[in-house]
Amino acid sequence: MRKVLTLAAGCVLLAMAGCGPRDRVASVAGHDLTREDFEAFAAENLQPAASSARERLDALVNQEVAAEAARRGGMGQDLSMILKVRAFERDFLASEVLRTHFAKEISPSEEAIHAAFMQMNEKRKLRHILVKDGAQAQAIYQAVSRGADFGQQARQFSQDQGSGKAGGELGWQSAAALDPAFAEQAFSLKEGEISKPFQTRFGWHVVQCLGVQHADTAGLESRGEQVKALLQKSLAQDILDKAAREAMKKLPVAIIAESLDGDF
C-alpha cells in the first residue's frame, strides 16, 4: 500500500512540476505551453474553424506573449486587474457549473418559450391608486369593491401625481415597462378585476385592469431566440441562487453589511 501511495504522490508531484518534452507545444519566457493548453485554447473558437493547427498555436503564443508582457509591466499586481480576474473566475466557474450539471434545466421548452413570448408582448390597460399607508389602501379597496368610483378615489387619494389627476389612468402598459413587483400583480388580473392592496418600493397600490391586449404570435419566429436567451438567463439565475443557498449550509458565510453602509 505504501508503494502505491508513494507512486501516486510521485505522479502528482511530476504533474505539478511540469510536463514532459512531448507534452510541450511552445515555451514563452520559460513558461511551458502544453498540448492541454493548446486544446483548451482551440476549443474556445478564438480562431476560425478553417485555420490550421499551426495558426491556432501562433495565436496562443501571441496571447501568452502579451500576457507575459502585461505581467512584467506590473499589471498582475494592479488591484483593479486582480478584481477583474476574480470577477471573471467567479463568472466562468458559475457558467461551467450550469453547463456541466444543469444543461437540461436551463433549456426551456418550446411551450415555455411561446408562453414567455405571449406574456412579454401582452399589454394591459391599467389604472391605480397609490398611497403610503397599508390601512388606507385597504379602506380604498373596500370602498371601490362596494361600488365607489375608482377614478374619483384616485383623484382624491392617490399620491401618484402623474396619474392621480387622471383618475389613476396608466394607459396600455407592457410588463417590461413596469416595476417587476407591480407588473406581477397587475398582469395576474382579469379584465375588470381590482387587486387587493399590495406593496412595492413606491408604496401601497390598488390596481384595476381595464383591458387585455394579447400578443400577436407572428413575431415569435423572429424573436424566439431572444426570448429563449432571456428565459435561460432567468432559469440560470434561479438555479445558481438555489445552489448557493444549499452550499451556504456547508460553507462558512458572513455578510458584513455594516461595511457598506450608505452604498445600498
Side-chain angles (χ1 to χ4, degrees):
M1 176 63 73
R2 177 174 291 182
K3 289 183 178 180
V4 173
L5 291 174
T6 302
L7 179 59
C11 290
V12 171
L13 288 172
L14 284 172
M16 293 174 64
C19 52
R22 291 185 178 181
D23 294 323
R24 291 186 297 174
V25 294
S27 178
V28 175
H31 174 69
D32 290 332
L33 295 174
T34 68
R35 182 171 296 277
E36 287 77 12
D37 290 323
F38 171 74
E39 291 172 351
F41 177 82
E44 291 298 320
N45 296 316
L46 297 179
Q47 293 291 306
S51 63
S52 66
R54 177 51 191 270
E55 289 172 331
R56 293 195 293 274
L57 177 58
D58 288 342
L60 170 60
V61 169
N62 289 342
Q63 188 182 77
E64 182 62 29
V65 167
E68 180 61 24
R71 285 191 287 267
R72 294 191 178 196
M75 290 186 69
Q77 303 302 316
D78 181 73
L79 178 59
S80 64
M81 183 62 65
I82 292 172
L83 293 175
K84 288 178 181 179
V85 171
R86 288 180 186 174
F88 174 81
E89 180 186 39
R90 287 194 299 269
D91 184 65
F92 177 78
L93 291 175
S95 297
E96 283 299 292
V97 167
L98 290 171
R99 185 182 66 82
T100 57
H101 297 292
F102 300 102
K104 290 183 179 179
E105 287 86 343
I106 61 173
S107 297
S109 65
E110 291 299 322
E111 292 78 9
I113 294 172
H114 182 273
F117 175 83
M118 296 298 289
Q119 184 179 24
M120 289 167 59
N121 291 277
E122 182 180 281
K123 290 187 176 183
R124 298 287 178 104
K125 188 176 183 181
L126 305 168
R127 60 180 177 178
H128 83 136
I129 300 169
L130 171 68
V131 293
K132 297 299 182 183
D133 182 73
Q136 185 182 14
Q138 183 64 34
I140 292 171
Y141 170 70
Q142 291 176 352
V144 294
S145 296
R146 291 194 298 265
D149 184 84
F150 193 102
Q152 182 58 41
Q153 292 283 308
R155 282 186 285 271
Q156 184 175 353
F157 298 111
S158 183
Q159 296 181 28
D160 182 345
Q161 296 181 359
S163 68
K165 296 177 181 179
E169 295 280 349
L170 295 173
W172 290 95
Q173 299 285 339
S174 65
L178 300 170
D179 176 80
F182 184 94
E184 182 179 1
Q185 295 290 332
F187 276 71
S188 67
L189 299 173
K190 297 177 182 178
E191 186 170 346
E193 187 178 3
I194 298 173
S195 76
K196 293 182 179 179
F198 63 92
Q199 188 177 24
T200 71
R201 59 193 176 97
F202 301 104
W204 286 85
H205 305 263
V206 177
V207 181
Q208 184 177 26
C209 176
L210 299 175
V212 179
Q213 189 178 86
H214 296 290
D216 183 358
T217 58
L220 178 58
E221 184 175 350
S222 61
R223 297 183 58 196
E225 287 302 313
Q226 179 186 359
V227 175
K228 181 179 179 181
L230 290 172
L231 270 181
Q232 285 178 321
K233 183 177 180 180
S234 177
L235 290 169
Q237 189 61 57
D238 289 344
I239 289 172
L240 285 177
D241 289 346
K242 182 179 179 180
R245 287 193 295 270
E246 289 298 315
M248 284 181 184
K249 296 177 182 178
K250 302 177 182 179
L251 296 174
V253 176
I255 306 298
I256 316 299
E258 289 78 8
S259 64
L260 296 174
D261 282 348
D263 292 338
F264 287 108

